[in-house]
Amino acid sequence: LRRVEAILRGERSWRLLRSPWPIFRQVDLLGAAPVVSVSAGEAAFQMHVFPHRVRSDGLISNRIRGTSSAYCLQLFQDELLRLAAEQPGRALQVIDAGPHIGDC
């Protein structure tokens, strides 16, 4: 095991792994899209979420990215669908003013 570790430590890739440069954090950000296509029932829309994966707001953003569904109460989603149905052909813009983006 020590011999294998010594071989790995001699490789350039080991130095990259131990580098203070946050390469993995940067690569992770590539997969954390700040805008997600979301569907709620028959409606589809774009939702802005946090472009990070940490803390509670990042967890909610991850869930939205992973499921492509809003993290809102169904009652709230139903009300938005009703409002959108009252104005066919017009875009409905909703602004989330809570402490976490995406949890309505």
Side-chain angles (χ1 to χ4, degrees), residues 11-88:
E11 293 292 321
R12 181 177 183 273
S13 57
W14 180 263
R15 287 190 297 275
L16 287 175
L17 288 174
R18 304 278 304 173
S19 168
W21 188 61
I23 188 169
F24 294 109
R25 195 169 295 150
Q26 298 301 324
V27 171
D28 184 50
L29 286 176
L30 293 175
V35 180
V36 181
S37 295
V38 175
S39 60
E42 297 175 10
F45 55 94
Q46 299 288 308
M47 180 179 271
H48 292 261
V49 295
F50 284 110
H52 59 265
R53 301 180 189 276
V54 295
R55 297 184 298 277
S56 62
D57 50 4
L59 293 174
I60 292 169
S61 296
N62 278 341
R63 183 190 179 280
I64 294 168
R65 274 190 286 272
T67 62
S68 296
S69 62
Y71 188 72
C72 302
L73 292 174
Q74 190 61 49
L75 180 66
F76 183 80
Q77 291 181 47
D78 291 344
E79 183 64 18
L80 289 179
L81 291 172
R82 185 189 67 74
L83 289 171
E86 288 179 358
Q87 302 175 18

Side-chain angles (χ1 to χ4, degrees), residues 92-104:
L92 178 66
Q93 184 174 4
V94 178
I95 299 173
D96 180 3
H100 303 291
I101 292 179
D103 68 350
C104 306

